[in-house]
Amino acid sequence: MRLLKFTRYSEWWEYKLVPLLSVAYLTALSIHQPFRVALPRIALLFAALIVGAIYVSVINDITDIREDAIAGKRNSMANVNPWVQSAVVLLCLLFGAYVISILYPDVLSMLFGALTYIVFTLYSVKPIRLKKRGIWGVFCDAAGAHLFPSLVMAINLMFFFGHRPNLLLTVAIGIWSFTYGLRGILWHQFSDKENDLKSGTTTFASTTNAAKFKPIEIVIFILEISALAVMLFQVADVYVTAALILYVIFVMSRRYVLHYKVFIILVRKDTPHQIIMNEYYFVFLPLSLLLSNAISFNFGWFLMLAHVLLFPSKTAAVLKDCFLILKKML
């Protein structure tokens, strides 16, 4: 448990991993592979994602110790022995290198896998430390956390099962994952703007007027939704389409029954709010993909149950809000 605490797993376990698993499920569905056949390869890539996320959390905390102390923020690595810090970083890098090596001869996936580690190292470590270099830090985080891992998931699954790369689907996944990643890091930076100003951390958000940023967040969201539409069109699945319709109903019900404000990136913390599409990516999309597989292949029900048990909190939160909506309506 102590190991889990200093990896800050609660900050990335569902937020980062579930959308990436959705890419794997969607890719398997698009190439008509039963999930039970694709599961060993997905499990390998999933393990690599977990280790990569641990590396990102640890290296980011190690390089943030001084600035977090100035801002009065808790840092999970501040009281960890430097030898332990180094050992964790080294083990993550060795495991990452091992997984990348066994992707051979899928050179493209190997490249994107290596870039995931490279960009986050550049993001955190001095003297480059792109985190403090405005928009470059934003691009770096979105690429390392979402773009490159999503491309590894999609491209390697196609390669593993002997399918030629679906260029349209791959490009759509790239645009979607990058723009969704942009929204995630920009939300984090604007939410943490006050602490960054205290510590003198010059992120993009700390030097940007929020009011002037609003048109940009709309453009990012339009690109994200356009790419998502292409992805969903590629699978053309009735359950996935139904899940999107249910999500729209869910958002509208939250808005008008529970009075949740809907935001794209910039949020008002003084009111109940929801970031548009978050619950769709965390709950509705992956479960609809798993449901479509389960309808065709009996083993899929076990995989669906395993997914819910591994990632319960967002599903539970959606069910809780559905119950509250029905209670208020009745």
Side-chain angles (χ1 to χ4, degrees), residues 168-210:
L168 182 59
L169 177 60
T170 304
V171 170
I173 288 172
I175 294 171
W176 168 79
S177 58
F178 186 63
T179 48
Y180 171 63
L182 287 177
R183 286 207 295 134
I185 183 58
L186 286 167
W187 168 82
H188 174 75
Q189 285 194 0
F190 277 105
S191 298
D192 208 32
K193 186 173 181 176
E194 186 177 336
N195 286 325
D196 287 335
L197 290 172
K198 285 181 183 177
S199 64
T201 305
T202 52
T203 63
F204 174 78
S206 68
T207 58
T208 301
N209 184 296

Short mmCIF file of all heavy atoms in Angstrom, two decimals, residues 168-210:
data_model
loop_
_atom_site.label_atom_id
_atom_site.label_comp_id
_atom_site.label_asym_id
_atom_site.label_seq_id
_atom_site.Cartn_x
_atom_site.Cartn_y
_atom_site.Cartn_z
N LEU A 168 -7.18 5.68 -41.54
CA LEU A 168 -8.21 6.62 -41.10
C LEU A 168 -8.47 6.47 -39.61
O LEU A 168 -8.52 7.46 -38.86
CB LEU A 168 -9.51 6.41 -41.88
CG LEU A 168 -10.66 7.37 -41.56
CD1 LEU A 168 -10.25 8.83 -41.81
CD2 LEU A 168 -11.91 7.00 -42.37
N LEU A 169 -8.60 5.22 -39.15
CA LEU A 169 -8.85 4.99 -37.72
C LEU A 169 -7.65 5.42 -36.89
O LEU A 169 -7.82 6.04 -35.82
CB LEU A 169 -9.15 3.50 -37.48
CG LEU A 169 -9.36 3.09 -36.02
CD1 LEU A 169 -10.53 3.84 -35.41
CD2 LEU A 169 -9.56 1.58 -35.91
N THR A 170 -6.45 5.12 -37.36
CA THR A 170 -5.25 5.47 -36.60
C THR A 170 -5.10 6.99 -36.47
O THR A 170 -4.78 7.50 -35.39
CB THR A 170 -3.99 4.89 -37.28
OG1 THR A 170 -4.15 3.47 -37.42
CG2 THR A 170 -2.74 5.18 -36.46
N VAL A 171 -5.33 7.72 -37.56
CA VAL A 171 -5.24 9.19 -37.51
C VAL A 171 -6.32 9.74 -36.58
O VAL A 171 -6.06 10.66 -35.78
CB VAL A 171 -5.37 9.79 -38.92
CG1 VAL A 171 -5.52 11.30 -38.86
CG2 VAL A 171 -4.16 9.42 -39.78
N ALA A 172 -7.53 9.18 -36.67
CA ALA A 172 -8.63 9.65 -35.80
C ALA A 172 -8.29 9.41 -34.33
O ALA A 172 -8.51 10.28 -33.49
CB ALA A 172 -9.92 8.93 -36.17
N ILE A 173 -7.74 8.23 -34.02
CA ILE A 173 -7.33 7.94 -32.64
C ILE A 173 -6.25 8.91 -32.19
O ILE A 173 -6.26 9.40 -31.05
CB ILE A 173 -6.84 6.48 -32.52
CG1 ILE A 173 -8.03 5.52 -32.61
CG2 ILE A 173 -6.08 6.26 -31.20
CD1 ILE A 173 -7.64 4.06 -32.69
N GLY A 174 -5.31 9.22 -33.09
CA GLY A 174 -4.25 10.17 -32.75
C GLY A 174 -4.79 11.55 -32.42
O GLY A 174 -4.41 12.16 -31.41
N ILE A 175 -5.67 12.07 -33.28
CA ILE A 175 -6.24 13.41 -33.06
C ILE A 175 -7.10 13.41 -31.80
O ILE A 175 -7.01 14.33 -30.96
CB ILE A 175 -7.07 13.85 -34.28
CG1 ILE A 175 -6.15 14.04 -35.49
CG2 ILE A 175 -7.82 15.16 -33.97
CD1 ILE A 175 -6.90 14.27 -36.79
N TRP A 176 -7.93 12.39 -31.65
CA TRP A 176 -8.81 12.32 -30.47
C TRP A 176 -8.00 12.26 -29.18
O TRP A 176 -8.25 13.01 -28.23
CB TRP A 176 -9.72 11.10 -30.57
CG TRP A 176 -10.43 10.82 -29.28
CD1 TRP A 176 -11.53 11.46 -28.80
CD2 TRP A 176 -10.06 9.85 -28.29
NE1 TRP A 176 -11.87 10.95 -27.56
CE2 TRP A 176 -10.99 9.97 -27.23
CE3 TRP A 176 -9.03 8.90 -28.20
CZ2 TRP A 176 -10.92 9.16 -26.09
CZ3 TRP A 176 -8.96 8.10 -27.07
CH2 TRP A 176 -9.89 8.23 -26.03
N SER A 177 -7.01 11.37 -29.13
CA SER A 177 -6.25 11.19 -27.90
C SER A 177 -5.43 12.43 -27.56
O SER A 177 -5.31 12.81 -26.38
CB SER A 177 -5.33 9.97 -28.00
OG SER A 177 -4.44 10.10 -29.09
N PHE A 178 -4.90 13.09 -28.58
CA PHE A 178 -4.09 14.29 -28.33
C PHE A 178 -4.96 15.44 -27.83
O PHE A 178 -4.60 16.13 -26.86
CB PHE A 178 -3.37 14.71 -29.62
CG PHE A 178 -2.41 15.86 -29.42
CD1 PHE A 178 -1.31 15.74 -28.58
CD2 PHE A 178 -2.61 17.06 -30.08
CE1 PHE A 178 -0.42 16.80 -28.40
CE2 PHE A 178 -1.73 18.13 -29.90
CZ PHE A 178 -0.64 17.99 -29.07
N THR A 179 -6.12 15.66 -28.45
CA THR A 179 -6.99 16.77 -28.04
C THR A 179 -7.62 16.49 -26.67
O THR A 179 -7.74 17.40 -25.85
CB THR A 179 -8.09 17.03 -29.08
OG1 THR A 179 -8.71 15.79 -29.44
CG2 THR A 179 -7.51 17.67 -30.32
N TYR A 180 -7.97 15.23 -26.41
CA TYR A 180 -8.48 14.88 -25.08
C TYR A 180 -7.38 15.08 -24.04
O TYR A 180 -7.62 15.58 -22.94
CB TYR A 180 -8.99 13.45 -25.07
CG TYR A 180 -9.34 12.95 -23.69
CD1 TYR A 180 -10.35 13.56 -22.95
CD2 TYR A 180 -8.67 11.86 -23.12
CE1 TYR A 180 -10.68 13.11 -21.68
CE2 TYR A 180 -8.98 11.40 -21.86
CZ TYR A 180 -9.99 12.03 -21.14
OH TYR A 180 -10.30 11.59 -19.87
N GLY A 181 -6.15 14.71 -24.41
CA GLY A 181 -5.02 14.93 -23.52
C GLY A 181 -4.76 16.40 -23.26
O GLY A 181 -4.42 16.80 -22.13
N LEU A 182 -4.93 17.22 -24.29
CA LEU A 182 -4.79 18.67 -24.11
C LEU A 182 -5.80 19.19 -23.10
O LEU A 182 -5.46 19.99 -22.22
CB LEU A 182 -4.99 19.40 -25.45
CG LEU A 182 -3.88 19.30 -26.49
CD1 LEU A 182 -4.29 20.03 -27.76
CD2 LEU A 182 -2.57 19.89 -25.95
N ARG A 183 -7.04 18.73 -23.23
CA ARG A 183 -8.07 19.19 -22.28
C ARG A 183 -7.70 18.77 -20.85
O ARG A 183 -7.91 19.53 -19.90
CB ARG A 183 -9.43 18.63 -22.66
CG ARG A 183 -10.06 19.30 -23.86
CD ARG A 183 -11.57 19.23 -23.84
NE ARG A 183 -12.08 17.89 -23.95
CZ ARG A 183 -13.05 17.39 -23.18
NH1 ARG A 183 -13.60 18.13 -22.22
NH2 ARG A 183 -13.48 16.16 -23.36
N GLY A 184 -7.16 17.56 -20.71
CA GLY A 184 -6.82 17.08 -19.37
C GLY A 184 -5.72 17.89 -18.72
O GLY A 184 -5.86 18.33 -17.57
N ILE A 185 -4.62 18.13 -19.43
CA ILE A 185 -3.51 18.87 -18.83
C ILE A 185 -3.85 20.34 -18.65
O ILE A 185 -3.45 20.96 -17.67
CB ILE A 185 -2.21 18.69 -19.66
CG1 ILE A 185 -1.04 19.41 -18.97
CG2 ILE A 185 -2.39 19.19 -21.08
CD1 ILE A 185 -0.74 18.96 -17.56
N LEU A 186 -4.62 20.91 -19.57
CA LEU A 186 -4.99 22.32 -19.43
C LEU A 186 -5.96 22.51 -18.26
O LEU A 186 -5.85 23.49 -17.53
CB LEU A 186 -5.62 22.83 -20.73
CG LEU A 186 -4.61 23.05 -21.87
CD1 LEU A 186 -5.35 23.24 -23.20
CD2 LEU A 186 -3.72 24.25 -21.59
N TRP A 187 -6.88 21.56 -18.08
CA TRP A 187 -7.75 21.63 -16.90
C TRP A 187 -6.90 21.58 -15.63
O TRP A 187 -7.13 22.37 -14.70
CB TRP A 187 -8.74 20.45 -16.90
CG TRP A 187 -9.45 20.31 -15.58
CD1 TRP A 187 -10.54 21.01 -15.15
CD2 TRP A 187 -9.07 19.46 -14.49
NE1 TRP A 187 -10.88 20.63 -13.86
CE2 TRP A 187 -9.99 19.69 -13.43
CE3 TRP A 187 -8.05 18.53 -14.31
CZ2 TRP A 187 -9.90 19.00 -12.22
CZ3 TRP A 187 -7.97 17.85 -13.09
CH2 TRP A 187 -8.89 18.09 -12.07
N HIS A 188 -5.93 20.68 -15.59
CA HIS A 188 -5.07 20.56 -14.42
C HIS A 188 -4.28 21.84 -14.18
O HIS A 188 -4.19 22.33 -13.05
CB HIS A 188 -4.10 19.39 -14.60
CG HIS A 188 -3.09 19.27 -13.52
ND1 HIS A 188 -3.39 18.78 -12.25
CD2 HIS A 188 -1.77 19.61 -13.47
CE1 HIS A 188 -2.30 18.82 -11.49
NE2 HIS A 188 -1.30 19.31 -12.21
N GLN A 189 -3.71 22.42 -15.24
CA GLN A 189 -2.89 23.62 -15.07
C GLN A 189 -3.73 24.82 -14.63
O GLN A 189 -3.31 25.57 -13.74
CB GLN A 189 -2.16 23.94 -16.38
CG GLN A 189 -0.99 23.02 -16.66
CD GLN A 189 -0.09 23.56 -17.76
OE1 GLN A 189 -0.33 24.62 -18.34
NE2 GLN A 189 0.96 22.81 -18.08
N PHE A 190 -4.88 25.00 -15.22
CA PHE A 190 -5.72 26.13 -14.82
C PHE A 190 -6.27 25.93 -13.40
O PHE A 190 -6.40 26.90 -12.64
CB PHE A 190 -6.87 26.34 -15.81
CG PHE A 190 -6.48 27.13 -17.03
CD1 PHE A 190 -6.30 26.51 -18.25
CD2 PHE A 190 -6.27 28.50 -16.95
CE1 PHE A 190 -5.94 27.24 -19.38
CE2 PHE A 190 -5.90 29.25 -18.07
CZ PHE A 190 -5.73 28.60 -19.29
N SER A 191 -6.57 24.69 -13.02
CA SER A 191 -7.04 24.41 -11.66
C SER A 191 -5.94 24.65 -10.63
O SER A 191 -6.20 25.00 -9.49
CB SER A 191 -7.55 22.97 -11.55
OG SER A 191 -8.63 22.75 -12.41
N ASP A 192 -4.69 24.42 -11.05
CA ASP A 192 -3.53 24.52 -10.15
C ASP A 192 -2.78 25.84 -10.33
O ASP A 192 -1.67 26.00 -9.84
CB ASP A 192 -2.58 23.34 -10.41
CG ASP A 192 -1.78 22.97 -9.16
OD1 ASP A 192 -2.31 23.13 -8.05
OD2 ASP A 192 -0.63 22.53 -9.31
N LYS A 193 -3.40 26.78 -11.03
CA LYS A 193 -2.73 28.03 -11.38
C LYS A 193 -2.23 28.80 -10.16
O LYS A 193 -1.11 29.32 -10.14
CB LYS A 193 -3.68 28.92 -12.20
CG LYS A 193 -3.05 30.19 -12.74
CD LYS A 193 -4.02 30.91 -13.67
CE LYS A 193 -3.41 32.17 -14.25
NZ LYS A 193 -4.32 32.82 -15.24
N GLU A 194 -3.04 28.84 -9.11
CA GLU A 194 -2.67 29.59 -7.90
C GLU A 194 -1.40 29.03 -7.26
O GLU A 194 -0.50 29.79 -6.88
CB GLU A 194 -3.83 29.55 -6.90
CG GLU A 194 -3.61 30.43 -5.67
CD GLU A 194 -4.80 30.43 -4.74
OE1 GLU A 194 -5.93 30.17 -5.20
OE2 GLU A 194 -4.59 30.68 -3.54
N ASN A 195 -1.31 27.69 -7.17
CA ASN A 195 -0.12 27.07 -6.59
C ASN A 195 1.12 27.30 -7.46
O ASN A 195 2.22 27.52 -6.95
CB ASN A 195 -0.34 25.57 -6.40
CG ASN A 195 -1.27 25.26 -5.25
OD1 ASN A 195 -1.27 25.96 -4.24
ND2 ASN A 195 -2.08 24.24 -5.40
N ASP A 196 0.94 27.25 -8.77
CA ASP A 196 2.06 27.47 -9.68
C ASP A 196 2.59 28.90 -9.59
O ASP A 196 3.79 29.14 -9.67
CB ASP A 196 1.65 27.15 -11.12
CG ASP A 196 1.51 25.66 -11.37
OD1 ASP A 196 2.15 24.88 -10.64
OD2 ASP A 196 0.76 25.26 -12.29
N LEU A 197 1.67 29.85 -9.40
CA LEU A 197 2.09 31.25 -9.23
C LEU A 197 2.87 31.43 -7.94
O LEU A 197 3.86 32.17 -7.89
CB LEU A 197 0.87 32.17 -9.26
CG LEU A 197 0.17 32.33 -10.63
CD1 LEU A 197 -1.13 33.10 -10.49
CD2 LEU A 197 1.09 33.03 -11.63
N LYS A 198 2.45 30.72 -6.88
CA LYS A 198 3.16 30.81 -5.59
C LYS A 198 4.58 30.28 -5.70
O LYS A 198 5.51 30.85 -5.13
CB LYS A 198 2.40 30.00 -4.52
CG LYS A 198 1.15 30.67 -3.99
CD LYS A 198 0.52 29.77 -2.93
CE LYS A 198 -0.79 30.35 -2.42
NZ LYS A 198 -1.43 29.42 -1.44
N SER A 199 4.72 29.16 -6.42
CA SER A 199 6.03 28.51 -6.50
C SER A 199 6.90 29.03 -7.64
O SER A 199 8.04 28.62 -7.79
CB SER A 199 5.85 27.00 -6.66
OG SER A 199 5.20 26.70 -7.88
N GLY A 200 6.31 29.92 -8.46
CA GLY A 200 7.07 30.47 -9.59
C GLY A 200 7.21 29.50 -10.75
O GLY A 200 8.11 29.64 -11.58
N THR A 201 6.30 28.52 -10.84
CA THR A 201 6.31 27.56 -11.94
C THR A 201 5.58 28.17 -13.13
O THR A 201 4.37 28.37 -13.08
CB THR A 201 5.63 26.24 -11.53
OG1 THR A 201 6.26 25.74 -10.35
CG2 THR A 201 5.74 25.21 -12.64
N THR A 202 6.29 28.46 -14.20
CA THR A 202 5.71 29.16 -15.34
C THR A 202 5.11 28.18 -16.35
O THR A 202 5.69 27.89 -17.39
CB THR A 202 6.77 30.03 -16.05
OG1 THR A 202 7.92 29.21 -16.34
CG2 THR A 202 7.18 31.19 -15.19
N THR A 203 3.94 27.65 -16.00
CA THR A 203 3.21 26.79 -16.93
C THR A 203 2.47 27.66 -17.94
O THR A 203 2.39 28.89 -17.80
CB THR A 203 2.20 25.92 -16.18
OG1 THR A 203 1.23 26.78 -15.55
CG2 THR A 203 2.88 25.08 -15.12
N PHE A 204 1.87 27.01 -18.93
CA PHE A 204 1.07 27.74 -19.92
C PHE A 204 -0.08 28.48 -19.23
O PHE A 204 -0.32 29.66 -19.50
CB PHE A 204 0.52 26.77 -20.96
CG PHE A 204 -0.44 27.39 -21.93
CD1 PHE A 204 0.02 28.16 -23.00
CD2 PHE A 204 -1.81 27.21 -21.79
CE1 PHE A 204 -0.86 28.74 -23.89
CE2 PHE A 204 -2.71 27.79 -22.68
CZ PHE A 204 -2.23 28.56 -23.74
N ALA A 205 -0.77 27.80 -18.32
CA ALA A 205 -1.93 28.40 -17.66
C ALA A 205 -1.55 29.58 -16.78
O ALA A 205 -2.30 30.56 -16.68
CB ALA A 205 -2.67 27.35 -16.84
N SER A 206 -0.38 29.51 -16.12
CA SER A 206 0.01 30.57 -15.20
C SER A 206 0.32 31.88 -15.94
O SER A 206 0.36 32.94 -15.32
CB SER A 206 1.23 30.14 -14.37
OG SER A 206 2.38 30.03 -15.18
N THR A 207 0.54 31.82 -17.24
CA THR A 207 0.84 33.02 -18.02
C THR A 207 -0.26 33.34 -19.03
O THR A 207 -0.07 34.16 -19.93
CB THR A 207 2.17 32.85 -18.79
OG1 THR A 207 2.08 31.70 -19.65
CG2 THR A 207 3.32 32.66 -17.82
N THR A 208 -1.42 32.70 -18.89
CA THR A 208 -2.51 32.86 -19.85
C THR A 208 -3.76 33.39 -19.17
O THR A 208 -4.16 32.89 -18.11
CB THR A 208 -2.83 31.53 -20.56
OG1 THR A 208 -1.65 31.05 -21.22
CG2 THR A 208 -3.94 31.69 -21.58
N ASN A 209 -4.41 34.37 -19.79
CA ASN A 209 -5.67 34.90 -19.31
C ASN A 209 -6.78 33.91 -19.64
O ASN A 209 -6.99 33.57 -20.81
CB ASN A 209 -5.95 36.26 -19.97
CG ASN A 209 -7.22 36.91 -19.43
OD1 ASN A 209 -8.31 36.38 -19.61
ND2 ASN A 209 -7.06 38.05 -18.79
N ALA A 210 -7.49 33.45 -18.61
CA ALA A 210 -8.52 32.42 -18.81
C ALA A 210 -9.62 32.88 -19.76
O ALA A 210 -10.11 32.10 -20.58
CB ALA A 210 -9.12 32.03 -17.46
#
